[in-house]
Amino acid sequence: MQSKEKIAIIGGGLSGSLLAICLAKRGFKVQLFERRGDIRKGQAEAGRSINLALSTRGIEALKKVDLAEKVLSDAIPMNGRMMHSVKGELTYQAYGKSGQFINSVSRSGLNIKLLELADEFENVELFFNHRCIDIDLNINTATLETKDGQKINIAADIIFGSDGAFSAVRSEMQKTNRFNYSQVYENYGYKELEIPPGPNGSFLIDKNALHIWPRGEFMMIALPNPNGSFTCTLFLAYEGKHSFENLKTKVDVTAFFETHFPDAMALMPGYLEDFFNNPTGNLVTIRSNPWVYNNFALIGDAAHAIIPFYGQGMNCSFEDVSEIDEIIETYYPDWNKIFTKYQEARIVNANAIADLACKNFVEMRDLVGKSSFIHFKKIEQELTEKYPNIYKSQYSLVSFSTAPYSEALAQGFKNEALIGYITEHKLEDKLDDPTVMMPLFRDFLGYDAE
């Protein structure tokens, strides 16, 4: 498809740069504006280096632009969760069937690859240190401010807002009639720490697992990096007994880690410097509706920021891009229909994954170490292996398929009811018996063998 239409994208992060590539491949003239400096020149923003979990949805989107293989070559597969007790005891839970895994990737590394590819297109222009300060929804214009304070007015036929959770584009759309918006902060923040590599770049803990230190009211996780290090993230309440407000001195922090994370502490010689030097990030869920207004559309976190506890923030945003790219394929040049179909397809699923992320925070923080949850997962794993064409775990639907998030959310409730019935009636030894299980699949999952 060749087109002379000019499209502006406000925000050059992950979803914005992927969108620029997809639009460029379709022949549009694309201008991409990013408020930060050029990350390719080492101008990454502090506090933005948390690893990301790339799974099926994100991989499928990257395949559209022939980047999946290159990105995965630098990724580290994580086959399951490794739970660390206070005593240092380890419990492992596989994410899915054999051969199923999610991938630990660097946020900045992935963003650099996307920008490099976007920059290869003659019909793409990249502008850094351009902060959006105003837009006019009625005449398709935006005002941007450069690093030196110069104000630049731009116009485009179509403008996408991919400028993150605190989007300037969405902020203007919120002023329109009947715009629905919610912003909910968790009473939790996060602090990034590091387990450095061992001798000769070796991994000091299992590199093919997402490590979790669940402590009920708080937790720490660790994802592997190619150089042998692990990026650790401490999630802790702002106020309360165990909270950031009670960790003011090096003595406070040392005592906290000695009590709650002794095995990890032994692997993090720089944890005190990391704790006091790295910023404390916020956790926020943002929902909005509508995502489109005239010739403007929101995409990625600008439309639906979620907390990071299902590893789907990036994957969901990439799926936005993939979805609208397919809709353009079908309905171009009718942008009204394109935007309508895009909104219909994505809002319900963005809301579903937001719910799932909140639910998974509780699971990772409070439940993964409990015997009842471990028993649930054991039954679920057996059902997955014995009846792969019938039983689909919620996690596998989210992470290892492109089934709508809304379907995964609904399926999870059905699965919980089924396994709850099995546990309550002590049917664990009947999982191999189809005469027992098939009626249960019919009643709880709506499965009809005929």
Side-chain angles (χ1 to χ4, degrees), residues 149-393:
Q150 181 183 2
K151 292 181 174 57
I152 299 171
N153 295 312
I154 62 117
D157 300 297
I158 300 293
I159 298 180
F160 284 94
S162 62
D163 48 340
F166 303 101
S167 165
V169 178
R170 190 195 62 240
S171 178
E172 194 65 28
M173 289 173 66
Q174 285 172 228
K175 301 173 186 177
T176 61
N177 189 35
R178 300 175 64 206
F179 187 95
N180 294 301
Y181 171 76
S182 69
Q183 173 180 292
V184 179
Y185 281 96
E186 301 289 328
N187 181 35
Y188 282 81
Y190 64 84
K191 182 81 71 171
E192 190 175 287
L193 312 168
E194 182 189 37
I195 295 176
N200 301 316
S202 60
F203 292 88
L204 298 178
I205 51 180
D206 188 343
K207 75 171 185 176
N208 295 121
L210 189 155
H211 294 262
I212 307 178
W213 289 260
R215 298 297 181 258
E217 297 175 2
F218 55 95
M219 70 172 182
M220 186 168 69
I221 67 172
L223 278 74
N225 298 307
N227 68 352
S229 68
F230 286 80
T231 300
C232 302
T233 310
L234 172 66
F235 296 96
L236 190 65
Y238 282 108
E239 299 93 21
K241 181 180 178 182
H242 301 301
S243 66
F244 282 115
E245 74 171 357
N246 286 330
L247 298 179
K248 299 298 187 185
T249 68
K250 291 185 176 181
V251 172
D252 297 334
V253 176
T254 299
F256 177 76
F257 274 83
E258 286 177 340
T259 301
H260 300 290
F261 306 114
D263 65 328
M265 179 183 176
L267 305 174
M268 297 191 294
Y271 77 98
L272 284 174
E273 289 77 11
D274 289 341
F275 187 91
F276 288 103
N277 293 335
N278 291 341
T280 301
N282 296 314
L283 298 172
V284 63
T285 299
I286 289 175
R287 305 175 197 250
S288 63
N289 186 2
W291 291 2
V292 302
Y293 188 90
N294 289 343
N295 292 325
F296 285 77
L298 302 174
I299 202 159
D301 284 358
H304 54 75
I306 63 175
I307 58 178
F309 300 108
Y310 223 119
Q312 288 296 306
M314 170 189 62
N315 293 289
C316 181
S317 294
F318 278 4
E319 196 172 53
D320 288 349
V321 176
S322 182
E323 188 92 35
I324 199 164
D325 184 60
E326 292 172 9
I327 292 170
I328 290 171
E329 171 75 26
T330 303
Y331 294 104
Y332 182 79
D334 188 343
W335 281 100
N336 286 332
K337 184 163 284 187
I338 289 168
F339 280 173
T340 298
K341 293 292 184 181
Y342 161 66
Q343 185 170 263
E344 289 174 352
R346 296 306 297 161
I347 288 182
V348 63
N349 289 304
N351 288 334
I353 192 57
D355 292 339
L356 285 164
C358 292
K359 181 174 181 287
N360 211 44
F361 183 27
V362 176
E363 179 176 304
M364 293 173 71
R365 188 187 70 212
D366 299 352
L367 303 180
V368 291
K370 292 187 176 180
S371 58
S372 58
F373 184 80
I374 293 171
H375 184 62
F376 177 97
K377 284 297 183 182
K378 182 175 182 296
I379 295 174
E380 181 161 80
Q381 188 68 26
E382 289 190 43
L383 292 176
T384 300
E385 292 174 355
K386 297 178 189 299
Y387 307 96
N389 296 323
I390 300 174
Y391 187 89
K392 307 290 184 184
S393 74

Side-chain angles (χ1 to χ4, degrees), residues 89-107:
E89 301 161 331
L90 301 178
T91 305
Y92 180 76
Q93 292 173 0
Y95 280 134
K97 296 180 291 185
S98 177
Q100 288 184 323
F101 51 84
I102 58 178
N103 301 275
S104 176
V105 299
S106 160
R107 176 195 294 272

Side-chain angles (χ1 to χ4, degrees), residues 1-3 5 23-28 328-330 332-333:
M1 178 194 306
Q2 293 297 317
S3 172
E5 286 172 301
L23 293 172
K25 286 171 69 72
R26 294 195 175 278
F28 295 101
I328 290 171
E329 171 75 26
T330 303
Y332 182 79

Side-chain angles (χ1 to χ4, degrees), residues 59 78 95 113-114 141 144 166 174 214 339 387:
I59 293 169
M78 298 180 293
Y95 280 134
K113 287 182 176 69
L114 288 165
T141 63
L144 300 114
F166 303 101
Q174 285 172 228
F339 280 173
Y387 307 96

Side-chain angles (χ1 to χ4, degrees), residues 54-57 59-60 78-80 94-103 310 312 384 393-403 405:
L54 178 66
S55 55
T56 299
R57 297 168 199 273
I59 293 169
E60 290 302 310
M78 298 180 293
N79 301 294
Y95 280 134
K97 296 180 291 185
S98 177
Q100 288 184 323
F101 51 84
I102 58 178
N103 301 275
Y310 223 119
Q312 288 296 306
T384 300
S393 74
Q394 185 176 78
Y395 191 92
S396 67
L397 288 172
V398 170
S399 297
F400 305 128
S401 84
T402 55
Y405 288 123

